[in-house]
Amino acid sequence: MRISVFGLGYVGCVSAACLAASGHEVVGVDVNPVKVDLISRGKAPVVEERIGELTAEVVASGALRATTDVAEAIGATDISLICVGTPSAQNGSLSTVYLERVAEEIGQALTAKNGRHTIVFRSTMLPGTCLDLLVPILEKASGYRAGADFGVAVNPEFLREGTSVRDFFDPPKTVIGEFDAASGDAVAALYEGLPGEVFRVPIAVAEMTKYADNAFHGLKISFANEIGAICQALGLDSHRVMDVFLADSKLNISKAYLRPGFAFGGSCLPKDLRGLVYAARRADVSVPLLSHVLPSNEDHLRRAFDLVTAAGSRKVGLLGLSFKPGTDDLRESPLVELAERLLGKGYDLRIYDANVTLSRLMGANREYIDGRLPHLGDLLTNSVEEVLAHADVCVVGCKDPAVLSALDNAGDRTIIDLVRLPDAETRRAHPGYVGLGW
């Protein structure tokens, strides 16, 4: 199939490369010329397992190219995947400005299009957004009717940063919210041959599915972290408790998030929890459990901050900064929040993250860090050894091999472990080591 992918962030870049690797002809579209240039040179604009090699392969084969020209992309393809961001507003509501903009541009481009074109929204959006907001924009800008002159569908993604390429080819499920059967058929053809059950549902059901998933993921992480906090207070190893809990595959589910660790973050879980709680409040629905997931996550971040302040030194090293290992995504990273709080309290901080290079950060990722840690370039170091040379207290927020190796020579420095190091059980017996929840 001939496919255009709008928005070359994590979801768009991975979707474009994986679809191209599956034999489709793909055009990536983005307003940021830097991202387009990177793709054109066979380089991925994001840090992600396997995405660099895959992008190089599909660009070299001619299966993937990129442009900033919306009309050209629409004219050259038959189906468009919309993967632009839907960030949170201050009150938790969803910002649809990028969706509205791309819908209008695509609608205008459809006026010069011969034949049916299908627009597929993969961006996370609350129920009603597609039918009540985006379809009217498409119809007004094009002068055509959805379902008759062009197709519309919602196809939420279930890609985890760090493993998104694997997740694309081995999805837990495929959800297709279809305006009409022909639109659903076009989307189903994209994923033909992939494992997992396919659900063809009304558009609003597809929109809500993503929120249900992410709310539950956030809930699981917060549950595990609260169990960890209780276990630590009682002198127990929370991971041993959760080993028993997770062994029960009959009644207890999903090992993916039920491991005590640091607070959750990223571009999805916090935003989608805020959006869901906001929508519930607007509908006058009480959601006491969901409305307290983010405060619980905030309390867990505070526990880490309190461990640093209790260590008694102002010279702190932070090993890890992105919200999740294997990516450079800093958006709503709890490690960024921790760094910001430490700087605000006057701590002398140095940071190392093998995946974070200031010159490579772009788009929403760059905007976020410019607003939260505008002097990041002064804080980043080139090696773990530079951090150790500076710090009396080392906060470990990743399991990068270079970090694990260097920590063997950490000496008498205080080690605050947010990720449960592989030798955590041995380290617990030594003074100067503190685990978060174990």
Side-chain angles (χ1 to χ4, degrees), residues 7 20 60 62 100 149 154-155 202 234 243 255 264 306 309 328 332 336 371 409 415 436:
E100 293 175 54
D149 304 307
V154 169
N155 173 221
L234 298 177
D243 283 341
K255 298 180 180 180
F264 63 78
D306 290 346
T309 60
D328 67 344
E332 300 215 40
V336 171
N409 302 308
I415 303 295
L436 181 66

Side-chain angles (χ1 to χ4, degrees), residues 280-281 283-289 291:
R281 287 174 178 162
D284 200 22
V285 175
S286 175
V287 285
L289 179 63
S291 65

Side-chain angles (χ1 to χ4, degrees), residues 269-307:
L269 300 191
K271 173 180 74 72
D272 294 348
L273 274 161
R274 280 195 294 268
L276 190 57
V277 171
Y278 176 83
R281 287 174 178 162
R282 287 201 63 183
D284 200 22
V285 175
S286 175
V287 285
L289 179 63
L290 288 175
S291 65
H292 282 83
V293 173
L294 285 172
S296 173
N297 196 53
E298 166 67 22
D299 281 353
H300 203 60
L301 196 155
R302 178 186 49 76
R303 291 185 188 109
F305 178 80
D306 290 346
L307 290 179

Side-chain angles (χ1 to χ4, degrees), residues 120-382:
V120 184
F121 294 97
R122 270 169 80 73
S123 303
T124 303
M125 50 193 186
L126 287 165
T129 305
C130 181
L131 294 181
D132 298 341
L133 176 66
L134 301 177
V135 167
I137 291 174
L138 286 165
E139 290 183 329
K140 181 179 179 180
S142 66
Y144 297 149
R145 288 187 302 117
D149 304 307
F150 62 89
V152 176
V154 169
N155 173 221
E157 47 81 22
F158 304 100
L159 308 175
R160 297 167 295 171
E161 289 189 33
T163 60
S164 59
V165 174
R166 276 183 281 158
D167 290 343
F168 184 95
F169 290 115
D170 187 18
K173 57 183 176 283
T174 297
V175 178
I176 303 169
E178 54 191 20
F179 190 92
D180 60 326
S183 299
D185 290 343
V187 180
L190 295 177
Y191 308 112
E192 190 173 345
L194 293 182
E197 189 171 354
V198 177
F199 296 87
R200 295 179 65 163
V201 297
I203 279 179
V205 172
E207 289 170 317
M208 187 62 191
T209 297
K210 176 70 173 185
Y211 281 92
D213 281 29
N214 279 355
F216 189 49
H217 296 332
L219 177 65
K220 286 182 288 184
I221 294 169
S222 293
F223 167 76
N225 287 339
E226 288 189 3
I227 292 294
I230 295 169
C231 286
Q232 186 181 44
L234 298 177
L236 305 176
D237 184 343
S238 62
H239 278 243
R240 286 194 168 184
V241 172
M242 297 307 284
D243 283 341
V244 179
F245 177 86
L246 292 168
D248 184 350
S249 58
K250 184 176 182 179
L251 301 177
N252 300 330
I253 57 175
S254 185
K255 298 180 180 180
Y257 297 97
L258 285 166
R259 290 288 183 188
F262 196 30
F264 63 78
S267 60
C268 294
L269 300 191
K271 173 180 74 72
D272 294 348
L273 274 161
R274 280 195 294 268
L276 190 57
V277 171
Y278 176 83
R281 287 174 178 162
R282 287 201 63 183
D284 200 22
V285 175
S286 175
V287 285
L289 179 63
L290 288 175
S291 65
H292 282 83
V293 173
L294 285 172
S296 173
N297 196 53
E298 166 67 22
D299 281 353
H300 203 60
L301 196 155
R302 178 186 49 76
R303 291 185 188 109
F305 178 80
D306 290 346
L307 290 179
V308 178
T309 60
S313 173
R314 311 294 291 184
K315 302 184 73 174
V316 177
L318 183 57
L319 301 173
L321 190 64
S322 63
F323 95 96
K324 189 176 183 181
T327 82
D328 67 344
D329 196 347
L330 303 175
R331 291 172 292 177
E332 300 215 40
S333 168
L335 292 168
V336 171
E337 177 68 25
L338 179 59
E340 186 179 21
R341 293 186 187 192
L342 291 170
L343 288 171
K345 291 295 183 180
Y347 283 81
D348 188 359
L349 186 63
R350 295 294 183 277
I351 302 170
Y352 172 76
D353 189 315
N355 293 313
V356 177
T357 303
L358 194 60
S359 61
R360 289 197 59 185
L361 299 178
M362 62 184 68
N365 199 12
R366 181 59 180 259
E367 291 173 11
Y368 180 81
I369 202 62
D370 284 346
R372 304 306 293 266
L373 289 177
H375 303 298
L376 179 61
D378 298 330
L379 305 174
L380 282 176
T381 66
N382 295 316

